Amino acid sequence: MRQITLAATQMACSWDIDDNIAKAEALVTGAAEAGAQIILLQELFETPYFCLEQSLGHLALARPLEQSRVVSHFASLAGKLGVVLPISYYEEAGLARYNSLAIADADGTILANCRKTHIPQAPGYEEKFYFSPGDSGFQVVETRFGRIGCGICWDQWFPETARCLALQGAEVLLFPTAIGTEPKNPDLDSSGHWRRTMQGHAAANMIPVVASNRVGTEREGGTAGVFYGTSFITGHTGEILAEAGRAEETFITATADLEAAARYRSSWGVFRDRRPHMYGALHTLDGRTGSPG
């Protein structure tokens, strides 16, 4: 057996950055005290989800990796608690800005800086205004407790994200998230669809998945976003091991056996039987494998 205890946190955020950091630290500390070794915080937890509308002023929130207050604070906390923390932050790099995730190992060392690959654009999710598409690629990071692969929110909707990370040897998939209501479609509740998509990634790749989402109502100009929480952890066949509610600020934990998951993956032969040369359509946008360029 190679057991690992995973955790996801969820919380509401405000423009009181000190309070956001303190709240997140309390949740991480609680999860660590409950035995968690890899703890996932939600997307962009330093501030409210500022992408509800386009605002030039919010561009000033971005910071270089080395100057990010939230990264330095939680990297230090990771070392203090002896846990692995993927830390979501708004990154400034030259003239570009990214939605990024700094991976802190259990000694506080930053092992990798992963940038969000897929950038959404929709009412209430105006991310193309704030972020350039990530150029870091899908990275698998060797941490003290295992090899982790991360996608950031919209990345989690793409089976290509999970499969690329699995092919590179990820043993756990982690997805920090900010998702809730759709301002132009208030009757749509995507929470079940959101969850089933990632359960499918776990089942198809036979790898445990951790998803962390925020809760609460946030407003920017004339737009309100109500975030639906429901953070969860799956086992390697997609079964739910732990889940949070739609409104509570909390953490959840679950234990997975990475050795058992590896044996299961090998026994099914899914990766043995792949035929990459037949998947040419994946290299196109229109599905026509003969398309030029």
Side-chain angles (χ1 to χ4, degrees):
M1 288 195 306
R2 224 179 110 225
Q3 290 195 326
I4 185 171
T5 300
L6 307 166
T9 71
Q10 66 175 38
M11 60 183 243
C13 296
S14 71
W15 284 110
D16 186 337
I17 292 175
D18 290 337
D19 184 59
N20 295 336
I21 288 174
K23 233 188 322 190
E25 179 174 340
L27 291 171
V28 168
T29 300
E33 290 173 348
Q37 297 156 296
I38 299 177
I39 303 170
L40 183 63
L41 288 150
Q42 67 208 38
E43 182 184 22
L44 299 172
F45 64 90
E46 185 177 10
T47 65
Y49 178 71
F50 51 83
C51 310
L52 291 172
E53 292 189 358
Q54 297 182 15
S55 172
L56 283 171
H58 292 336
L59 296 175
L61 294 169
R63 294 288 184 274
L65 171 64
E66 300 78 12
Q67 298 174 26
S68 169
R69 175 186 176 191
V70 73
V71 170
S72 62
H73 183 96
F74 284 90
S76 175
L77 183 64
K80 175 184 174 183
L81 297 175
V83 299
V84 172
L85 287 180
I87 307 161
S88 177
Y89 74 108
Y90 189 15
E91 180 189 7
E92 179 183 52
L95 297 180
R97 294 175 177 84
Y98 298 100
N99 187 334
S100 297
L101 199 64
I103 311 299
D105 205 359
D107 63 357
T109 302
I110 299 297
L111 298 177
N113 188 50
C114 305
R115 292 166 171 167
K116 187 171 183 174
T117 298
H118 305 93
I119 308 300
Q121 184 66 31
Y125 302 92
E126 302 281 351
E127 294 200 16
K128 281 188 166 64
F129 181 80
Y130 294 100
F131 311 124
S132 294
D135 57 1
S136 60
F138 300 116
Q139 300 182 58
V140 171
V141 182
E142 184 78 53
T143 74
R144 180 183 297 180
F145 302 115
R147 296 186 302 277
I148 66 172
C150 301
I152 302 171
C153 201
W154 192 227
D155 290 337
Q156 70 206 359
W157 291 90
F158 295 82
E160 296 88 346
T161 301
R163 180 49 55 94
C164 286
L165 293 169
L167 287 170
Q168 293 179 76
E171 296 178 297
V172 180
L173 302 179
L174 301 109
F175 296 107
T177 303
I179 190 170
T181 53
E182 303 291 333
K184 296 295 185 182
N185 191 1
D187 294 328
L188 175 63
D189 181 354
S190 64
S191 59
H193 182 190
W194 171 75
R195 178 181 290 199
R196 288 189 295 272
T197 296
M198 284 177 280
Q199 287 180 262
H201 297 336
N205 294 286
M206 288 159 266
I207 297 174
V209 165
V210 184
S212 171
N213 189 25
R214 67 176 62 206
V215 296
T217 300
E218 299 178 12
R219 289 182 172 82
E220 180 74 26
T223 304
V226 182
F227 297 93
Y228 52 57
T230 62
S231 302
F232 66 96
I233 302 169
T234 79
H236 60 267
T237 63
E239 72 280 18
I240 298 293
L241 299 178
E243 57 188 332
R246 293 181 67 100
E248 59 186 328
E249 296 182 292
T250 190
F251 66 84
I252 55 174
T253 66
T255 298
D257 185 339
L258 299 185
E259 184 179 319
R263 286 197 307 269
Y264 194 84
R265 279 194 300 279
S266 295
S267 72
W268 271 84
V270 167
F271 291 93
R272 177 200 65 207
D273 295 341
R274 292 184 69 251
R275 302 188 66 199
H277 63 287
M278 300 296 291
Y279 307 151
L282 294 180
H283 293 279
T284 74
L285 285 177
D286 67 4
R288 295 173 60 195
T289 58
S291 297

